[in-house]
Amino acid sequence: MMTVHEVSRITGVSIRALHHYDQIGLLRPTAVTEAGYRLYGDAALKRLQQILLFRELEFPLEDIRAILDSPDFDRNKALEQQIHLLELRKEHLSNLIRMAREMKESGEISMKFDAFDTQKIDRYAAEAKAAWGKTEAWREYESKSAGRNGEEQAKLNQEMMNIFREFGAVRNQAPDSAEAAALVRKLQAYITDHYYHCTDAILLSLGQMYTSESFTENIDRAGGSGTAVFVREAIEAAVR
């Protein structure tokens, strides 16, 4: 058994974060001493490894908890998919590095933007999450999306980007402004109507996800620099 301080030292996860994981039911200690000290056994450490892998892939904590607690969760299958996702991200970073080096060596601005495209990563992550989680929200998502063709899905994606453009238009206002709050509820209603019932808790998780690397790029492209962060802050202001 390891103390919370020992776990923090070998993993790099702060003691505060480990306490938070316990409070939200993501990682419970194996035992708690009479003095109130948390102790972690092998099973807890294996779960922590899974949590950290999902965090590397920028999954929100609530999604990670739902995935790991799902009766359908298959650890070996998840590891295979995590490896594939990490390889996709490695390929993406390698392409960006190569492009940057070429620009440096040539001294010219490249007009190729395919290296920035993260659609393959985003699509695989969404499919993997659906397979891992099997939460009620994801079952509803699968049901609603089952009959859609590519054109219909593209139209929904475009409409979602239009909402982010609206956020971009007011991003210089305070995140708790009336305009921002109205857009948060518009976004929430849109997700509920077309994907799954978007509770305030799910919306908060989405807000965190929007400021991960792959999502930020697309959202900021739609609404302008800083839009993704503004959306997250507006969501936090509206639902808390």
Side-chain angles (χ1 to χ4, degrees), residues 182-230:
L183 284 172
V184 167
R185 295 310 176 187
K186 180 176 181 177
L187 175 64
Q188 186 175 30
Y190 188 85
I191 295 170
T192 295
D193 290 344
H194 298 286
Y195 295 100
Y196 46 77
H197 179 59
C198 185
T199 64
D200 283 357
I202 289 175
L203 193 61
L204 275 172
S205 293
L206 289 173
Q208 295 172 10
M209 184 174 68
Y210 292 155
T211 52
S212 65
E213 179 183 349
S214 57
F215 285 89
T216 296
E217 182 181 339
N218 291 329
I219 293 171
D220 282 4
R221 187 183 298 126
S225 179
T227 299
V229 172
F230 179 76

Side-chain angles (χ1 to χ4, degrees), residues 91-105 114-115:
E91 178 186 355
H92 175 65
L93 289 173
S94 295
N95 290 337
L96 288 173
I97 292 169
R98 183 172 59 253
M99 186 191 72
R101 282 177 174 161
E102 290 173 353
M103 291 170 61
K104 181 181 177 183
E105 291 171 0
D114 54 311

Side-chain angles (χ1 to χ4, degrees), residues 46 49-50 72-80 82:
K46 287 181 180 178
Q49 285 180 328
Q50 278 292 326
D72 298 315
F73 180 70
D74 183 330
R75 181 175 178 273
N76 287 332
K77 182 179 179 181
L79 283 170
E80 290 177 5
Q82 287 167 335

Side-chain angles (χ1 to χ4, degrees), residues 22-39:
D22 182 11
Q23 291 168 357
I24 65 175
L26 177 60
L27 180 69
R28 299 292 192 190
T30 307
V32 179
T33 68
E34 291 183 2
Y37 295 109
R38 295 170 171 84
L39 299 175

